[in-house]
Amino acid sequence: MTERNKQPRKRHNKARERIEKRKQRRDTISNLASEGLEKLPEVDFAKPSSAVARTLNVIQDTLWYLRKDLPLALIAKAVGGFIVILAGFFFLTTIFSREIGPSISTMGIGLSGQTVEEATKTLFTYWNEEATINILVEGTVFEQVSPVDIGLSLDATATAELAKSAGLSGFPFGKEIEPIITADYGDVQSYVIGIGNEIYVAPREAGYKWEDGQLISMQGSPSREIDSNNSIQRIFDNPLTVVLDGTVELVTTATQPNVVEADPYYEDALAFVTSDFVLEGYDPFRDEVEYWRTSRQELADWLVVTENGLSLQRDNMEDFVTLVNQGLDVENWSRYLDLNETAEAVNDILIRGEEEADVRIRYADSTYTIQSGDWGLRLSRRLGLPFFNILSANPSTDLDNLLAGQDIAVPSRDLVIPMEVVSDRRIVVDLASRYLVAFENDEIVYDWPISIGQTSAPTFPGVYQILSKVDVATGSSFSLCNENSCGQWEMDNFMGIYEVSEGLTNGFHGTVRLPNGGTLTRGSSQLASTFGCVMSDDVQAELLYNWAETGIVVELIDTDFPPESELGRRALEFIRNQA
């Protein structure tokens, strides 16, 4: 028998294979950990199981099988695909949604999740009820206004649509949309010009103030004026910036004072402020004087230093003059001090170093309520104004057909006393008794009987003034006219006192020489024989002419127009005693 060759049987070592596989698994897990896979939480199986524990176990087992059976690249692709699908779903839902995307805002107002219509309403409400702009002047907030007030407009719908079109651009860090803002030039201009007066500060010249019993020098300071053109352009050219910043600074300019230092005139100012200053107001119609004083503080406020020395600041006297005027009204007349005249009078005494300033009390235009029996010429007599002046003030009113209770315009009485008044002389004529009395320094210097105007050409009562003086004057009347010409008469020593019409004046004179060689009756006849003038005998007319001067007040009184002055009342009493 043949013997086969036998090879030794090779043994397969199972234990070694298991060891190698365990090593491979450890290396794989180590590699996965190094590539960023998180370590699963350990589960304590010694503790009772819970939902969380069970869930973690399931996740741990699943990941173990994925690690064991799936390649790492396949895992990465699956995760990336899931993310892409999730982003695509989010993108598509946002695109096809009617709502504004996440983290979208404008002017600090969040609009996410709102439809365009809802966002439009939100923006409209904010713009008209909440939005504000700080208006700055020289770096300081001058006022806070709505943007609408300065001419700015928001297109809320267009802004909401712009926010919707932003889509996902606000995710995840947010996106601020610029609002659609426009400016209306006319409205911006109206606002800037309107606020100009509030911003304006006048330049202050060097002056003084009285404080704690002392006079203090005040340095001059520049003005503050709005630069309208540049301020308008600053808003109109940059409406979006104005809204986003919430502020806009208006442009201003300044005018420097003429004088800055007040100290050089301190002693003169102190002398004025500490003086016994008094303002004296004279009413030539009533021949009365009123006096007013004020405080040292107010006197100091009036002063201003100019390049030529101390002067009065007119505007600073306004409160004082207003207070004085509140107490000057009298029955049927409104009296007042003129601010410019008052400032000029005070300035004059300041220059001369005196303490008493004289100013005339003025009469304002007024109204008169018609009483029973008032008609053209009768109305003139009651008011003490020539009919010509009343007619001029009421050109569309029939003064011969007036109703009781009707109001008519009455011009200022100052029309008939236009010149500077000579206050120490006064002529009083009583038209009823036809008698003249002249005063100088409150004493009677002349008195005699006179003649006055006839009924068809009356002498108007009132308080007037000698306006002119002519040695020989001429006059005429329709009664002296014929078919071919009008004759003229002559009057010696004529002094005009009021206008009857433009260019025609009534006044004082002596005997009238008529064109036919005759004369009117003598003045001492006490007749109503002239054509409106007051006529004296020749000797007396010359005496009065030489004594009088333009500016002297003439008071013509009558039963319809009683005396206004104390001298008028004294003259009337004197005349009655002569009868």
Side-chain angles (χ1 to χ4, degrees):
M1 156 178 200
T2 302
E3 188 175 3
R4 291 184 298 178
N5 291 330
K6 296 182 179 178
Q7 294 294 330
R9 192 175 180 177
K10 190 175 180 178
R11 297 184 60 187
H12 191 71
N13 194 333
K14 300 283 184 178
R16 182 178 301 277
E17 290 179 0
R18 287 195 298 272
I19 292 171
E20 289 297 325
K21 287 182 179 181
R22 283 196 297 270
K23 182 178 178 182
Q24 290 176 1
R25 286 199 298 271
R26 286 196 299 270
D27 292 342
T28 300
I29 292 171
S30 176
N31 291 335
L32 290 174
S34 66
E35 292 179 9
L37 293 180
E38 295 182 357
K39 183 180 180 181
L40 292 175
E42 296 182 357
V43 180
D44 187 356
F45 293 98
K47 295 183 180 180
S49 62
S50 64
V52 174
R54 288 196 299 272
T55 302
L56 290 175
N57 286 336
V58 171
I59 294 172
Q60 186 177 33
D61 291 343
T62 301
L63 289 177
W64 187 87
Y65 283 111
L66 288 173
R67 295 189 195 114
K68 179 177 181 296
D69 298 330
L70 294 177
L72 182 61
L74 186 60
I75 294 174
K77 288 180 180 179
V79 172
F82 176 76
I83 293 173
V84 170
I85 292 171
L86 183 61
F89 174 77
F90 187 55
F91 176 78
L92 290 175
T93 55
T94 301
I95 291 298
F96 292 103
S97 172
R98 296 180 63 248
E99 298 177 349
I100 295 172
S103 303
I104 301 296
S105 61
T106 185
M107 298 180 292
I109 305 168
L111 302 177
S112 299
Q114 299 184 40
T115 64
V116 170
E117 292 77 12
E118 291 170 340
T120 298
K121 184 177 180 181
T122 297
L123 292 174
F124 182 83
T125 300
Y126 167 77
W127 186 257
N128 290 280
E129 298 180 6
E130 300 178 31
T132 57
I133 304 294
N134 288 325
I135 303 299
L136 304 184
V137 176
E138 296 181 347
T140 302
V141 176
F142 186 80
E143 68 175 354
Q144 192 176 71
V145 298
S146 165
V148 176
D149 294 337
I150 62 174
L152 303 185
S153 299
L154 166 70
D155 191 333
T157 301
T159 303
E161 290 174 345
L162 189 62
K164 176 67 175 67
S165 68
L168 294 173
S169 60
F171 181 81
F173 301 110
K175 183 175 180 64
E176 181 76 10
I177 301 297
E178 287 189 351
I180 310 300
I181 305 294
T182 57
D184 182 277
Y185 189 89
D187 291 342
V188 175
Q189 183 183 53
S190 296
Y191 171 75
V192 171
I193 292 175
I195 200 175
N197 288 336
E198 299 177 44
I199 291 176
Y200 176 74
V201 176
R204 188 183 69 193
E205 300 293 339
Y208 307 90
K209 68 175 181 178
W210 185 266
E211 188 173 88
D212 297 330
Q214 291 185 333
L215 185 66
I216 300 173
S217 296
M218 301 289 292
Q219 285 192 330
S221 60
S223 70
R224 183 178 70 187
E225 306 164 47
I226 191 168
D227 184 335
S228 298
N229 290 333
N230 285 326
S231 294
I232 290 169
Q233 292 304 134
R234 181 166 286 188
I235 298 173
F236 182 75
D237 293 345
N238 307 285
L240 179 61
T241 301
V242 171
V243 171
L244 295 183
D245 291 348
T247 62
V248 61
E249 180 154 10
L250 302 182
V251 184
T252 58
T253 60
T255 301
Q256 297 300 320
N258 294 315
V259 178
V260 175
E261 293 296 335
D263 287 343
Y265 298 96
Y266 180 86
E267 294 301 326
D268 293 337
L270 181 63
F272 173 74
V273 172
T274 57
S275 69
D276 294 326
F277 168 81
V278 61
L279 180 64
E280 178 181 304
Y282 177 65
D283 183 341
F285 295 91
R286 301 163 67 91
D287 192 32
E288 289 179 348
V289 177
E290 297 195 38
Y291 300 93
W292 300 279
R293 297 182 182 276
T294 188
S295 65
R296 290 180 175 176
Q297 179 179 351
E298 196 161 31
L299 290 177
D301 290 341
W302 293 356
L303 293 178
V304 63
V305 179
T306 70
E307 295 174 343
N308 298 319
L310 287 183
S311 184
L312 263 292
Q313 184 79 5
R314 187 191 70 92
D315 292 342
N316 290 355
M317 297 186 66
E318 188 169 359
D319 289 343
F320 169 77
V321 172
T322 298
L323 185 63
V324 168
N325 289 343
Q326 290 173 357
L328 278 178
D329 284 355
V330 293
E331 185 178 2
N332 297 327
W333 301 105
S334 178
R335 305 188 304 167
Y336 68 98
L337 297 186
D338 180 79
L339 178 58
N340 290 328
E341 290 180 349
T342 304
E344 184 177 348
V346 177
N347 198 56
D348 286 344
I349 70 159
L350 177 64
I351 294 172
R352 297 195 302 267
E354 299 175 359
E355 298 180 349
E356 186 177 290
D358 299 325
V359 64
R360 176 170 160 178
I361 297 175
R362 294 289 180 179
Y363 279 71
D365 293 343
S366 58
T367 59
Y368 174 77
T369 302
I370 299 301
Q371 303 174 29
S372 178
D374 285 339
W375 54 281
L377 295 180
R378 178 70 180 277
L379 180 62
S380 175
R381 299 177 70 83
R382 281 189 174 178
L383 292 174
L385 287 171
F387 184 72
F388 160 69
N389 296 114
I390 300 173
L391 186 62
S392 298
N394 299 274
S396 60
T397 302
D398 184 355
L399 297 179
D400 289 325
N401 293 283
L402 300 171
L403 299 176
Q406 180 180 351
D407 287 338
I408 64 167
V410 179
S412 168
R413 304 181 81 187
D414 294 332
L415 287 174
V416 295
I417 303 187
M419 303 172 61
E420 185 175 348
V421 174
V422 177
S423 58
D424 62 345
R425 299 182 187 184
R426 194 177 190 92
I427 301 172
V428 180
V429 175
D430 179 21
L431 299 178
S433 63
R434 298 162 192 172
Y435 204 90
L436 177 149
V437 180
F439 291 88
E440 183 173 357
N441 295 322
D442 296 341
E443 299 294 332
I444 297 175
V445 290
Y446 302 117
D447 69 280
W448 52 71
I450 45 87
S451 292
I452 62 172
Q454 53 193 275
T455 304
S456 61
T459 305
F460 291 109
V463 181
Y464 307 112
Q465 186 176 41
I466 294 180
L467 304 174
S468 61
K469 296 179 66 176
V470 181
D471 291 343
V472 179
T474 60
S476 184
S477 169
F478 288 113
S479 63
L480 299 178
C481 296
N482 56 38
E483 295 181 357
N484 300 317
S485 64
C486 288
Q488 287 189 324
W489 64 74
E490 291 184 345
M491 302 164 287
D492 293 333
N493 301 312
F494 180 85
M495 296 188 292
I497 56 177
Y498 66 82
E499 280 193 318
V500 180
S501 62
E502 191 169 353
L504 180 60
T505 305
N506 280 348
F508 295 111
H509 59 74
T511 301
V512 176
R513 297 187 296 274
L514 298 173
N516 60 9
T519 61
L520 291 180
T521 57
R522 299 177 61 231
S524 59
S525 63
Q526 295 181 289
L527 297 175
S529 57
T530 73
F531 292 95
C533 293
V534 175
M535 182 172 63
S536 302
D537 284 349
D538 286 339
V539 174
Q540 295 164 338
E542 184 178 4
L543 190 65
L544 187 67
Y545 184 87
N546 293 331
W547 170 82
E549 59 183 296
T550 55
I552 288 178
V553 173
V554 179
E555 189 170 358
L556 306 182
I557 61 177
D558 202 353
T559 52
D560 292 326
F561 189 81
E564 286 197 58
S565 68
E566 179 59 31
L567 291 181
R569 289 184 283 272
R570 282 178 53 191
L572 185 58
E573 182 179 359
F574 173 82
I575 293 168
R576 287 172 178 169
N577 291 333
Q578 300 303 306

